[in-house]
């Protein structure tokens, strides 16, 4: 077996996964390579933190058996509805039925007039500023997409809704006829959610118009008799509820579509109010909708079967999966030394509050009755749950001890992790080592596409993930490991950053230093048999201490955005002439790409990325933005030559 020791190029998610929003969903094509590398057909794979089910889906597609656990019922709901096939004809039939019954009534709440031809059309969305309706956005068959200030009748319509004067939605007392969730963002009276701002409960996230539309739609979905089809429609429903909320800012770049852009129940003063029926229609029939997702699944040529128990899965002679809403350390019906491979993505400390963020969807589909119980099992750093870093580490340790117990000897456990803070990455490494594993390799894995955020402000946050390769060795070596102290860490960091800068041969921004430093640090600690038991400070702080003596910060013109030249500071060596520097990395990468383009006629971006990642590994893993920039540049040059 040849290990995966380098980054893998990724092209993002396929329709079966993108249909429902999730936080920190893994890149499926990267996961697939790991599963292929570390397992054979029929092997048993475990993901104790399965989230939206990517590891499980990829395992089963490759004809493995997979067990996925998550304490959050919403994660299990998303995983199950992502992975299970569904009857496409039946979904289409049901959708037309629902549409015939209620689309007209819901659309009537969004009725407006084309300002050019007076034709009645339904609004795609409205925009609000605090409590004021500002404009209406619609598409007229003759006049296309339009944006106009609201008029008297738009205003009146909303007033009627506000006063409960629409008989198909309200009773005689002006009370909405349909149920909607009113769960409060609270752990208990004195402890609100960390991620809550101004809104106090789920219903407050919506305008009244959108709330009653969602409520009516949901009550219709509840009436679907076939439980599988009902579940699929609930899945389509939660895939768009956030888009119908007020947490969707008005964006000049996308004037007709809404997005929940923060990982919190945030308040934005200028927000969208999107037509619930159109959102729902898109969630079923759109490019990223339910039908597309289920067709995508059909095209995979494997059926993803869910077994009703672990036993059934293990005794079956074909592939399949089993999902469990629980924590692996509470599970006792899996034998020790029975799992062939673990691939998992544990919670990242404080950065994503899964329990809080999944709450809004869970409130709609009613998974919150056991909220108090499952939230106590959530591994997270959250003062409102009385969980600090120590607690987080204890809980994580309990899981990894269990994983160690379940995994076959000499088998592998791939852990992916995303946290911009060395302290948390160290908690992870320390925990897994103490659980009895040995650390073999850390690979920095860039994201599939540079995110919009990273293009504008590429630096400061960690982009992409780390893939840690742990092995279940028979000798537990953590107890014999020596502590490294703070001053030694400092020396080590300085030494390794110098090494990085020499090898990259050019000023490098902190983000990229950080991306490639961990592997070097832990390789060294492994070699010397050490473990970092204290909580390290940030690498940047350490570098700052040596600014002016060993390092300097130099301005680096990095990218042109429109007419703006954005300038960032990069770390460089104070006395570069004292070292034997390599050719600047950007030049080497550029030459390599040039050579590649000269020798091959047809090559995809993905192939270029893979070849570049193969050639430039570890500390010289190039930034994805750089590869893309060079490619664009070369392409331009070629076009000019042809001209
Ligand atoms: C980083 S996410 C996994 C994302 C996943 N890899 C994906 O691609 O969608 C971590 C998950 O761990 C879950 N979790 C937290 N504590 C847990 C525990 N004790 N046992 C099982 N799952 C837990 C959270 O609910 C969350 O869904
Ligand atoms: Zn018109």
């Amino acid at each position: 077996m040849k290990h995966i020791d380098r980054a893998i190029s990724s092209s993002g998610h396929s329709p079966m996964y993108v249909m429902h929003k999730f936080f920190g969903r893994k890149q499926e094509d990267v996961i697939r390579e790991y599963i292929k590398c570390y397992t054979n057909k029929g092997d048993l794979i475990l993901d104790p933190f399965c989230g939206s089910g990517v590891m499980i889906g990829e395992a089963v597609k490759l004809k493995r058996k997979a067990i996925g656990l998550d304490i959050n019922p919403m994660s299990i709901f998303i995983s199950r509805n992502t992975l299970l096939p569904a009857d496409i004809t039946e979904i289409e039939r049901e959708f037309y039925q629902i549409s015939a019954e209620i689309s007209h009534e819901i659309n009537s709440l969004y009725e407006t007039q084309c300002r050019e031809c007076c034709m009645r059309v339904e609004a795609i969305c409205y925009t609000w500023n605090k409590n004021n309706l500002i404009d209406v956005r619609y598409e007229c068959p003759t006049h296309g997409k339009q944006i106009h200030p609201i008029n008297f009748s738009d205003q009146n319509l909303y007033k009627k809704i506000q006063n409960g004067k629409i008989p198909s939605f309200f009773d005689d007392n002006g009370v909405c006829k349909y149920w909607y969730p009113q769960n409060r963002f609270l752990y208990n009276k004195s402890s609100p959610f960390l991620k809550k701002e101004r809104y106090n409960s789920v219903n407050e996230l919506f305008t009244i118009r959108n709330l009653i539309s969602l409520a009516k739609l949901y009550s219709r979905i509840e009436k679907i008799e076939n439980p599988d089809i009902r579940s699929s429609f609930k899945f389509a429903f939660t895939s768009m509820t956030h888009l119908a909320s007020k947490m969707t800012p008005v964006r000049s770049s996308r004037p007709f579509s809404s997005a929940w852009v923060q990982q919190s129940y945030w308040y934005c003063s200028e927000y969208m109010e999107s037509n619930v029926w159109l959102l729902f229609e898109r969630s079923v029939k759109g490019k990223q909708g339910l039908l597309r997702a289920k067709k995508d699944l059909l095209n995979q040529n494997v059926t993803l079967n869910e077994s009703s128990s672990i036993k059934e899965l293990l005794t079956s002679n074909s592939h399949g999966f089993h999902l469990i809403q629980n924590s692996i350390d509470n599970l006792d019906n899996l034998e020790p030394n029975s799992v062939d491979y673990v691939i998992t993505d544990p919670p990242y400390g404080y950065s994503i509050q899964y329990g809080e963020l999944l709450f809004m969807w869970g409130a709609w589909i009613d998974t919150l009755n056991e909220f108090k119980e499952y939230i106590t099992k959530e591994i997270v750093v959250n003062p409102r749950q009385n969980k600090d870093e120590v607690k987080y580490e204890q809980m994580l340790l309990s899981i990894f001890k269990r994983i160690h117990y379940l995994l076959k000897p000499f088998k592998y456990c791939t852990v992916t992790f995303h946290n911009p803070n060395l302290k948390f990455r160290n908690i992870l490494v320390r925990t897994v080592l103490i659980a009895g594993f040995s650390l073999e390799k850390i690979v920095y894995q860039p994201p599939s596409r540079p995110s919009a955020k990273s293009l504008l402000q590429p630096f400061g946050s960690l982009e992409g993930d780390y893939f840690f390769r742990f092995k279940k060795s028979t000798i537990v070596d953590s107890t014999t490991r020596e502590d490294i102290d703070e001053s030694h860490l400092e020396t080590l960091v300085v030494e390794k950053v110098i090494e990085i800068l020499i090898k990259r041969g050019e000023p490098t921004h902190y983000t990229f230093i950080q991306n490639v430093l961990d592997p070097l640090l832990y390789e060294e600690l492994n070699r010397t048999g050490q473990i970092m038991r204290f909580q390290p400070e940030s690498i940047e702080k350490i570098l700052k201490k040596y600014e002016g003596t060993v390092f300097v910060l130099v301005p680096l013109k990095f990218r042109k955005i429109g007419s703006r030249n954005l300038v960032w500071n990069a770390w460089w060596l104070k006395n570069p002439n004292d070292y034997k520097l390599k050719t600047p990395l950007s030049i080497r990468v550029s030459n390599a790409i040039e050579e590649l383009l000269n020798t091959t006629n047809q090559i995809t971006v993905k192939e270029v990325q893979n070849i570049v990642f193969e050639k430039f590994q570890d500390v010289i893993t190039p930034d994805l933005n750089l590869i893309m920039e060079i490619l664009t540049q070369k392409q331009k040059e070629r076009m000019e030559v042809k001209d």
Side-chain angles (χ1 to χ4, degrees):
M1 173 190 58
K2 191 178 173 301
H3 284 296
I4 298 179
D5 286 334
R6 63 158 172 94
I8 292 169
S9 137
S10 159
S11 38
H13 291 111
S14 56
M16 67 173 277
Y17 292 115
V18 280
M19 144 148 206
H20 202 295
K21 184 179 174 71
F22 200 74
F23 307 91
R25 177 179 275 124
K26 289 298 113 176
Q27 301 153 290
E28 69 202 67
D29 37 9
V30 177
I31 299 305
R32 203 177 305 138
E33 293 307 313
Y34 275 83
I35 292 175
K36 271 192 220 156
C37 177
Y38 292 101
T39 60
N40 295 311
K41 277 190 188 161
D43 277 1
L44 179 62
I45 297 179
L46 170 70
D47 179 1
F49 301 106
C50 72
S52 64
V54 174
M55 319 284 194
I56 306 302
E58 293 312 300
V60 184
K61 281 201 243 160
L62 291 166
K63 311 229 160 116
R64 276 64 167 168
K65 297 178 178 183
I67 299 177
L69 291 94
D70 202 294
I71 46 105
N72 199 305
M74 194 63 212
S75 299
I76 298 293
F77 175 82
I78 293 176
S79 296
R80 181 168 287 136
N81 281 288
T82 300
L83 303 180
L84 284 180
D87 184 337
I88 289 170
T89 339
E90 191 52 29
I91 290 175
E92 280 170 339
R93 202 194 57 74
E94 190 66 50
F95 179 77
Y96 287 109
Q97 190 70 32
I98 298 176
S99 177
E101 286 172 33
I102 62 170
S103 68
H104 178 70
E105 282 167 358
I106 294 181
N107 269 328
S108 72
L109 303 181
Y110 302 86
E111 191 176 288
T112 188
Q113 257 180 349
C114 175
R115 304 310 196 250
E116 311 274 340
C117 65
C118 292
M119 184 177 168
R120 288 174 167 215
V121 287
E122 62 264 3
I124 298 175
C125 55
Y126 300 88
T127 64
W128 287 72
N129 191 330
K130 302 203 181 89
N131 291 321
N132 302 308
L133 246 179
I134 305 296
D135 63 30
V136 56
R137 303 177 176 203
Y138 59 84
E139 184 165 15
C140 165
T142 325
H143 299 97
K145 283 192 171 165
Q146 301 270 323
I147 302 180
H148 290 280
I150 55 152
N151 61 19
F152 183 70
S153 70
D154 294 327
Q155 191 79 53
N156 247 0
L157 173 60
Y158 197 78
K159 272 208 190 109
K160 251 170 93 183
I161 297 169
Q162 218 168 11
N163 296 332
K165 292 278 187 289
I166 312 259
S168 48
F169 287 84
F170 297 100
D171 65 15
D172 296 343
N173 303 318
V175 178
C176 179
K177 291 186 201 166
Y178 307 101
W179 170 88
Y180 53 79
Q182 301 184 53
N183 309 66
R184 290 166 68 78
F185 301 128
L186 290 176
Y187 291 104
N188 57 52
K189 270 204 196 94
S190 55
S191 194
F193 284 6
L194 199 60
K195 292 295 173 183
K196 137 185 163 32
E197 290 181 12
R198 203 171 291 195
Y199 305 123
N200 291 312
S201 54
V202 175
N203 53 312
E204 285 183 17
L205 299 174
F206 307 94
T207 62
I208 297 178
R209 171 168 30 213
N210 278 10
L211 189 64
I212 61 171
S213 302
L214 289 169
K216 187 178 188 98
L217 176 57
Y218 192 75
S219 89
R220 175 59 185 79
I221 291 174
E222 283 272 49
K223 292 202 183 101
I224 300 172
E225 268 173 30
N226 178 329
D228 297 336
I229 301 295
R230 188 166 65 235
S231 178
S232 290
F233 274 91
K234 287 188 177 180
F235 186 50
F237 181 88
T238 54
S239 80
M240 62 85 185
T241 40
H242 51 285
L243 302 177
S245 81
K246 300 194 231 174
M247 302 184 290
T248 52
V250 178
R251 300 174 297 168
S252 50
S253 57
R254 307 284 306 274
F256 293 88
S257 78
S258 59
W260 181 15
V261 295
Q262 302 276 339
Q263 292 175 349
S264 69
Y265 297 111
W266 71 303
Y267 173 80
C268 64
S269 54
E270 284 182 63
Y271 55 87
M272 316 274 288
E273 182 192 27
S274 300
N275 179 323
V276 164
W277 179 259
L278 293 182
L279 286 178
F280 179 62
E281 186 171 43
R282 206 175 65 197
S283 77
V284 176
K285 293 167 55 181
K287 268 202 311 250
Q288 298 189 350
L290 179 64
L291 285 168
R292 181 77 201 279
K294 293 305 159 194
K295 283 178 192 159
D296 180 31
L297 201 57
L298 268 185
N299 292 339
Q300 310 281 341
N301 287 330
V302 268
T303 37
L304 283 77
N305 285 323
E306 184 174 13
S307 308
S308 60
S309 67
I310 292 182
K311 196 169 166 209
E312 188 189 304
L313 178 71
L314 296 184
T315 50
S316 138
N317 48 19
S318 87
H319 55 275
F321 69 91
H322 182 61
L323 295 170
I324 305 168
Q325 190 213 319
N326 205 344
S327 191
I328 189 83
D329 48 353
N330 284 337
L331 194 78
D332 45 23
N333 49 352
L334 201 54
E335 294 290 309
N337 305 320
S338 64
V339 173
D340 294 288
Y341 181 50
V342 172
I343 180 160
T344 196
D345 179 33
Y348 320 124
Y350 59 80
S351 49
I352 304 181
Q353 295 294 334
Y354 284 94
E356 296 190 2
L357 293 171
L358 301 179
F359 186 88
M360 187 246 298
W361 295 318
W364 277 103
I365 63 160
D366 201 12
T367 63
L368 298 181
N369 34 24
E370 291 159 28
F371 179 71
K372 287 223 160 72
E373 198 188 319
Y374 68 73
I375 216 70
T376 56
K377 293 190 217 153
E378 185 183 20
I379 302 183
V380 73
V381 177
N382 183 330
R384 307 290 165 75
Q385 290 184 22
N386 290 320
K387 289 173 190 158
D388 59 9
E389 286 153 17
V390 177
K391 180 82 182 162
Y392 168 78
E393 186 164 348
Q394 281 170 357
M395 294 177 85
L396 208 55
L397 179 60
S398 166
I399 302 276
F400 278 100
K401 280 189 170 159
R402 190 75 192 172
I403 295 175
H404 191 271
Y405 169 82
L406 295 173
L407 195 63
K408 291 180 181 168
F410 307 111
K411 291 283 185 174
Y412 292 90
C413 169
T414 299
V415 180
T416 67
F417 204 65
H418 174 109
N419 189 303
N421 201 318
L422 175 64
K423 183 160 86 179
F424 281 95
R425 300 197 296 271
N426 187 57
I427 288 180
L428 177 80
V429 173
R430 181 166 66 204
T431 304
V432 187
L433 289 178
I434 291 175
F437 285 91
S438 53
L439 174 60
E440 283 201 346
K441 179 84 191 169
I442 305 175
V443 176
Y444 165 66
Q445 174 65 46
S448 38
R449 250 176 263 115
S451 67
K453 201 173 84 197
S454 87
L455 284 169
L456 273 172
Q457 196 202 6
F459 302 133
S461 71
L462 178 80
E463 282 277 311
D465 298 300
Y466 290 105
F467 277 62
F468 293 86
R469 181 166 87 228
F470 293 104
K471 187 174 184 178
K472 176 170 175 174
S473 23
T474 40
I475 322 145
V476 182
D477 67 349
S478 67
T479 43
T480 58
R481 278 182 181 248
E482 260 179 57
D483 290 12
I484 175 169
D485 62 26
E486 292 189 60
S487 74
H488 278 101
L489 175 72
E490 198 170 302
T491 318
L492 189 61
V493 166
V494 172
E495 200 179 285
K496 293 297 166 191
V497 173
I498 294 175
E499 185 182 329
I500 291 171
L501 292 176
I502 292 175
K503 289 192 176 153
R504 292 181 81 102
E506 62 191 10
T508 303
H509 191 274
Y510 176 62
T511 301
F512 309 124
I513 294 183
Q514 181 172 247
N515 288 344
V516 299
L517 179 65
D518 276 35
L520 285 189
L521 280 183
Y522 287 103
E523 214 170 82
E524 186 61 21
L525 294 186
N526 248 351
R527 208 182 53 76
T528 54
Q530 286 173 308
I531 191 166
M532 204 191 302
R533 286 184 214 268
F534 67 95
Q535 311 285 37
E537 56 184 323
S538 95
I539 303 290
E540 199 163 23
K541 261 199 190 145
I542 299 180
L543 295 186
K544 284 255 192 275
K545 270 195 209 169
Y546 291 83
E547 190 183 349
T549 50
V550 183
F551 306 114
V552 283
L553 267 176
V554 297
L556 176 76
K557 192 182 124 227
F558 194 77
R559 195 160 297 118
K560 213 178 153 108
I561 307 275
S563 58
R564 282 194 302 167
N565 271 325
L566 298 186
V567 178
W568 290 283
N569 285 332
W571 289 97
W572 188 227
L573 298 157
K574 170 97 188 305
N575 301 312
N577 295 336
D578 293 355
Y579 308 94
K580 253 189 98 191
L581 298 179
K582 298 272 185 212
T583 312
L585 180 63
S586 44
I587 295 180
R588 275 178 282 159
V589 174
S590 178
N591 290 343
I593 293 180
E594 174 78 45
E595 201 184 299
L596 202 63
L597 297 181
N598 285 341
T599 48
T600 30
N601 280 331
Q602 286 231 318
I603 189 159
T604 65
V605 173
K606 195 170 169 165
E607 283 163 345
V608 172
Q609 286 177 0
N610 260 330
I611 294 170
V612 172
F613 286 147
E614 179 70 40
K615 208 166 165 149
F616 302 93
Q617 297 188 15
D618 296 323
V619 279
I620 51 170
T621 304
D623 147 37
L624 209 63
N625 288 329
L626 174 72
I627 302 181
M628 296 312 288
E629 262 177 19
I630 294 174
L631 264 175
T632 322
Q633 181 59 31
K634 299 275 176 216
Q635 227 164 14
K636 237 167 84 198
E637 284 168 20
R638 263 144 224 269
M639 304 282 264
E640 276 159 17
V641 171
K642 272 192 202 144
D643 287 350

